[in-house]
Amino acid sequence: MKIARRDVLGLGGGLVAALSLFRREVWGEEVVEIRMQGRADGSHVWFDPIGVLVMPGQMVRWINLNPGNSHTTTAYHPANFGRPLRIPEAAKSWASDYLLPDESFSVTFTAQGVYDYYCIPHEHAGMVGRIIVGKPEAHGGWMEGPIAGRRGLPDEALKAFPMVEEIMTNRIVRHL
């Protein structure tokens, strides 16, 4: 039996279409990876991407790809060294241990809202990130104006956070 090229291509196109439908259905279950990176000389460190949008129930995994530094991922939460609350009140705080190169840490986000986090040894260098889960509320929290959630943060950290609107429209914000 001879199979025509168009039959093979047709099957391939059907397979691609089926896979694209499958991908849409499992998007909320996919793991989003955030890389901890830095220059070899240690002069600059960052999370990449610095901002992500995920669905409730989705997992985020941080992996240290910086061969010369250890890093943490730590929620801005009073339970973590008395830091200001910059995650939803209903959310669970997190703090990884120091991650050596190629080590990772994961969190599953269930409460909708905006989550800010930082690297303990590099917060003063602006190594911070933002995760948006679902559609955040723009009222009654630190997202508006000069408020308590800004107090006590280093200037470099405050300048580094991507804007919520930027994350919502781009879905992922890469480090520049």
Side-chain angles (χ1 to χ4, degrees):
M1 176 167 139
K2 185 175 180 184
I3 298 175
R5 182 172 184 247
R6 70 174 172 248
D7 293 335
V8 171
L9 291 175
L11 285 173
L15 180 60
V16 168
L19 288 175
S20 68
L21 288 174
F22 176 73
R23 183 168 173 79
R24 274 191 213 124
E25 291 174 14
V26 299
W27 185 82
E29 297 174 14
E30 291 177 3
V31 175
V32 173
E33 187 172 279
I34 298 174
R35 295 162 298 287
M36 300 163 154
Q37 298 185 327
R39 292 187 183 147
D41 65 0
S43 64
H44 186 57
V45 290
W46 64 90
F47 291 106
D48 184 27
I50 191 171
V52 296
L53 173 64
V54 300
M55 301 304 295
Q58 195 164 8
M59 181 184 287
V60 173
R61 179 183 307 125
W62 290 265
I63 182 167
N64 184 358
L65 297 179
N66 185 348
N69 270 311
S70 61
H71 295 288
T72 72
T73 172
T74 309
Y76 276 106
H77 190 281
N80 295 327
F81 311 105
R83 305 305 285 151
L85 181 66
R86 292 179 63 100
I87 68 174
E89 286 185 20
K92 224 174 124 177
S93 179
W94 77 90
S96 71
D97 287 331
Y98 282 82
L99 301 175
L100 298 175
D102 296 321
E103 290 184 329
S104 65
F105 178 81
S106 299
V107 173
T108 299
F109 292 88
T110 55
Q112 187 167 280
V114 178
Y115 295 73
D116 285 347
Y117 63 93
Y118 66 104
C119 175
I120 291 172
H122 302 114
E123 177 188 25
H124 287 281
M127 190 171 179
V128 297
R130 178 168 283 166
I131 297 167
I132 298 176
V133 179
K135 294 183 180 181
E137 296 293 323
H139 58 81
W142 55 263
M143 290 173 59
E144 295 179 341
I147 45 112
R150 294 179 180 269
R151 282 188 233 132
L153 270 66
D155 288 340
E156 289 303 313
L158 285 171
K159 288 190 272 183
F161 288 109
M163 294 180 63
V164 169
E165 296 80 18
E166 185 179 29
I167 297 170
M168 295 295 291
T169 56
N170 294 330
R171 299 188 81 77
I172 293 178
V173 179
R174 298 280 175 202
H175 176 78
L176 301 176

